[in-house]
Structure formats: C-alpha cells, structure tokens
Amino acid sequence: MNTAVTDTQSLIETSTFLRACRREPVDHTPIWLMRQAGRYMPEYRAIRAKHSMLEVIRTPELAAEITLQPINAFGMDAAIIFSDILPPLVGMGLNLEFVKGEGPVIYNPIRTVADIEALQTPPAEENMGFTLEAIRLVAAELTPRGVPLIGFAGAPFTLASYAIEGGGSKNYEKTKALMYQYPDAWDMLMRKLATVQADYLLNQAKAGASALQLFDSWAGLALGMQDYVRYIQPYNTLLFAELEKAKVPTINFSTGTALYLDEVAACGGSVIGVDWRIPLDLAWEKVGFNQAVQGNLDPTVLLTDWETVKTKVDDVLRRVNGRSGHIFNLGHGIFPNVPTDTVKRLVAYVQEQTSR
Ligand code: CP3
C-alpha cells in the first residue's frame, strides 16, 4: 500500500467529522462553518482585493489557498473547497457574473422551453476542471494533517431559481410560474441540472473530497411541503441515489424546511442540514435517528457578545444530549461582519466543551 492510500484510509477512520457523519462515537463534536472561507477574514479580503470572484474560483492555487485560510487560523474539523454553487451553470450555457454589492447575475436567464432544451450538460472535468484541480491541491495538503475536505454543489431547485430569475430572488415568481404551468419543461430542467451536479459531485470525490454537501438553500423559502414533494423531492432523491457510487458521506442541506424535514431526509443524505428555525432535538426527531444532523446555531448569534454566544451554543449542545452523529455548524452561512475573535472562540469552545 502506498503512503497516500494509507493516509486516506487513516483520515477516513479517525476524522471526527467523518466519524460523526457515520454516527460513530467521537472524542469531541466536530465543527465547521458554512462560508467559513470568506469576507469576515482579512486574509480572504486581501486576495479578493486583487482578483474577481470568478478569477479566484478559476485559479486552483488561489482557491486552494483560500480554502486553507480558516483551517490554519481557527482549526475547524473540516475544510470546504472554495468555489460557489453557480459556476457549473456557465458550461451549461449561462452567462454568469458576480457583481460587486449585488451578488450573482445571469445575463441570459432561462425563460422558455427552448431555453431549457438548449441547455448543455458538459462533463465536470471539462466544465469545472479548475475546482477539481483545487480539490487535488487541498487534499494533498490536508490529508496528511488529518483534516477532511468537503466538496459541494447546488441542488437542482436552488440552481434553477438563479437560472430562471437571473439572480437572487424574494418571491421566486418566474421560477414557480414555470414550475406550475409547464411541468414537463420543469422536469427536463431539473433532470439536466441533477445530471450535471451528480457528475460534478462524483468527480469531486474522485479528486479527493471526503464528503459531499448538496446546498438546496432556497427550497423551503420558496416551496411548501406539497410542492417540495412534487417538484423537488424526485430530483434530489435521484441525485442522492447517484452519489452512493462515491462511497463517501453526503450532506443534504436546505433552509426553511423545518415543517417537512422528514420529506427532506427521505431524499437521502448521511447527514441532514438543519437551519435555525427549529430546535435541534425536534429536528432530529423528525429526521429520524438513522441519519446524522448538522447545524443549527443562528448565524446572527455570532454578532453578539461572547456570553450570549456561549448560552446559545450550550443550548444546541444540550439538545444533542450526547447522541452520536451531530456536526456543529451554523444554520446558514456566516455573515461578513462577524469578528474573527468570535469564530476563534466558538471553534475552541465547541471542541473543548464536548471533549470526552
Ligand atoms: O462555504 C464555503 O466556505 C465554501 C464556499 C461557498 C461560497 N458560496 C463562497 C462565496 C459556498 C459553499 C457557497 C454556496 C452558495 N453560493 C450558496 C448556497 C449556500 C448559501 O449560502 O445559501 C448560494 C445560494 C450561493 C450564491 C451566491 N454566491 C450568492 C447569493 C452570493 C452573493 C451574496 C454574498 O454573500 O455576497 C455569492 C457570492 C459568494 N460565494 C461569496 C463567497 C465567499 C462572496 C464573494 C465576495 O464578495 O467575495
């Protein structure tokens, strides 16, 4: 057996994060934060001052460097590859830009059945080769250090909402109009997106990602339970079934889905992401104890004083009640105005407080 293989095997067996994904006992509760590499870090802002968002994503050395920044500064139990959920849409035919102060914009949004028919489904190696290369670089650095790397992709619905609206959205009007009025076109769009994302995620695992997270960030903000079951569940289920080929833990993340977390969990995922809109014990009960959970501190709490943060963290941990299979995280991404000192204390506190 060569050294690399031995290292990977030992990472899989000993990483607290990967053990928690499999609901195995751990020596402390693993913690990482969604958007942990980002604007709240001065090291990140220094790189972004010189390069655009897409430039950084398309330069494997820069993406790798940013991925490592929070690990080196705060010692999280897992890294997440630096990229975004939207770049895979570019190779499908969409013209994406990250506009300063505005967020992502798609200049040629999908509006007709013909637009959906015209969407390409390029293989990941061709479409997202730069991120796969960044994963290889980071895995080579982190595997010997015993830190796992999470790969990720956007879920079909959340990506469809950007592709159709042309950017962020409040009411998802165009997306839902297309979904309700043209169910066959919706089916074609969701299948194309699921195909591209499944191939992308499987290739991330091949490149060295030891877990895969699917971000369906807007599912529950847009759709009620009956629509989730009808318009999202079949495609996320297809995707998670496909991901079983990767033989790595998978994380099924969404927000606003507290009311129907059981339906979310039914799509698949070794771990179910839980936002802050439901207490973790109640969420886990809805999910069922044969899946792990990740979350669920309100991201806003990190803007308060340390005593308040501690009280809220203690409440999350109390609701876990020592059960195996909890990964500490925020309920959604960290805000850019969180003090780095709070992040440092949070990571250390969770790791020390749960140490056994
Ligand atoms: O978690 C991580 O650290 C990995 C990197 C990551 C980013 N985006 C970096 C990013 C991940 C996993 C994402 C996912 C993502 N991107 C989602 C799903 C997760 C979520 O937060 O709901 C969504 C909906 C997007 C789309 C997106 N990208 C938006 C709406 C924006 C603009 C809003 C904002 O926060 O500025 C982005 C830009 C983006 N993606 C930034 C980062 C660090 C900010 C870019 C910058 O200005 O430097």
Side-chain angles (χ1 to χ4, degrees):
M1 213 185 265
N2 67 37
T3 335
V5 172
T6 313
D7 277 352
T8 303
Q9 201 51 41
S10 107
L11 174 75
I12 292 169
E13 281 161 22
T14 60
S15 145
T16 51
F17 166 76
L18 295 173
R19 289 182 65 87
C21 288
R22 300 189 298 258
R23 291 178 293 119
E24 293 168 6
V26 284
D27 57 14
H28 68 263
T29 299
I31 172 171
W32 71 278
L33 307 176
M34 284 183 279
R35 292 275 180 103
Q36 66 190 15
R39 284 165 297 185
Y40 75 99
M41 292 189 74
E43 301 94 311
Y44 172 83
R45 293 195 302 269
I47 291 183
R48 280 283 284 104
K50 289 185 270 174
H51 306 275
S52 76
M53 181 70 175
L54 280 175
E55 232 168 66
V56 172
I57 290 174
R58 287 172 177 155
T59 310
E61 292 73 20
L62 289 177
E65 184 182 340
I66 292 176
T67 303
L68 295 170
Q69 285 175 346
I71 307 305
N72 294 338
F74 312 115
M76 284 90 168
D77 294 284
I80 180 163
I81 193 65
F82 187 80
S83 184
D84 194 80
I85 59 167
L86 300 174
L89 296 178
V90 174
M92 296 183 78
L94 297 178
N95 185 3
L96 167 75
E97 201 186 320
F98 289 91
V99 180
K100 204 175 161 70
E102 219 183 301
V105 177
I106 288 164
Y107 293 106
N108 57 343
I110 293 170
R111 292 292 152 79
T112 65
V113 176
D115 292 341
I116 296 172
E117 283 169 349
L119 280 179
Q120 306 293 303
T121 53
E125 198 57 69
E126 181 186 303
N127 191 14
M128 293 299 294
F130 39 83
T131 300
L132 298 176
E133 180 55 22
I135 289 174
R136 289 181 201 106
L137 295 176
V138 174
E141 165 77 23
L142 287 184
T143 303
R145 287 164 60 179
V147 181
L149 175 64
I150 303 167
F152 71 89
F157 177 84
T158 295
L159 292 178
S161 80
Y162 280 100
I164 296 168
E165 306 290 338
S169 179
K170 189 157 163 264
N171 295 322
Y172 309 93
E173 292 162 33
K174 297 184 176 74
T175 307
K176 291 172 76 172
L178 190 144
M179 183 181 94
Y180 289 136
Q181 275 188 54
Y182 304 101
D184 293 344
W186 180 256
D187 181 68
M188 191 196 303
L189 173 59
M190 293 294 272
R191 280 179 194 281
K192 280 188 171 184
L193 289 167
T195 303
V196 170
Q197 302 313 309
D199 175 57
Y200 179 35
L201 287 164
L202 289 173
N203 275 282
Q204 291 185 58
K206 239 185 246 171
S210 15
L212 300 169
Q213 175 155 332
L214 191 73
F215 284 91
D216 213 351
S217 307
W218 309 142
L221 304 184
L223 302 193
M225 188 195 309
Q226 66 283 24
D227 285 342
Y228 182 90
V229 169
R230 164 77 177 79
Y231 298 105
I232 289 184
Q233 199 176 56
Y235 310 100
N236 285 2
T237 303
L238 201 81
L239 225 160
F240 278 107
E242 198 54 27
L243 294 188
E244 281 178 25
K245 290 181 190 155
K247 306 249 182 295
V248 300
T250 53
I251 308 169
N252 181 356
F253 171 77
S254 58
T255 78
T257 51
L259 183 65
Y260 51 87
L261 265 180
D262 47 343
E263 299 291 358
V264 173
C267 297
S270 336
V271 183
I272 303 303
V274 181
D275 74 7
W276 68 91
R277 294 172 177 91
I278 178 170
L280 196 58
D281 48 343
L282 196 61
W284 210 344
E285 225 171 90
K286 274 178 99 73
V287 164
F289 298 116
N290 53 351
Q291 280 163 299
V293 291
Q294 174 176 282
N296 76 331
L297 187 72
D298 187 329
T300 316
V301 167
L302 298 190
L303 300 174
T304 65
D305 66 289
W306 178 246
E307 282 311 306
T308 307
V309 175
K310 233 167 53 173
T311 308
K312 298 288 190 184
V313 171
D314 288 343
D315 183 64
V316 171
L317 294 174
R318 184 180 61 75
R319 289 171 190 280
V320 172
N321 200 16
R323 192 184 289 277
S324 294
H326 172 231
I327 297 146
F328 197 99
N329 205 317
L330 305 177
H332 202 168
I334 188 169
F335 297 149
N337 52 342
V338 169
T340 49
D341 186 54
T342 303
V343 174
K344 190 173 191 138
R345 291 172 86 165
L346 170 70
V347 173
Y349 183 74
V350 169
Q351 290 170 340
E352 281 159 21
Q353 198 65 15
T354 59
S355 184
R356 42 194 167 248

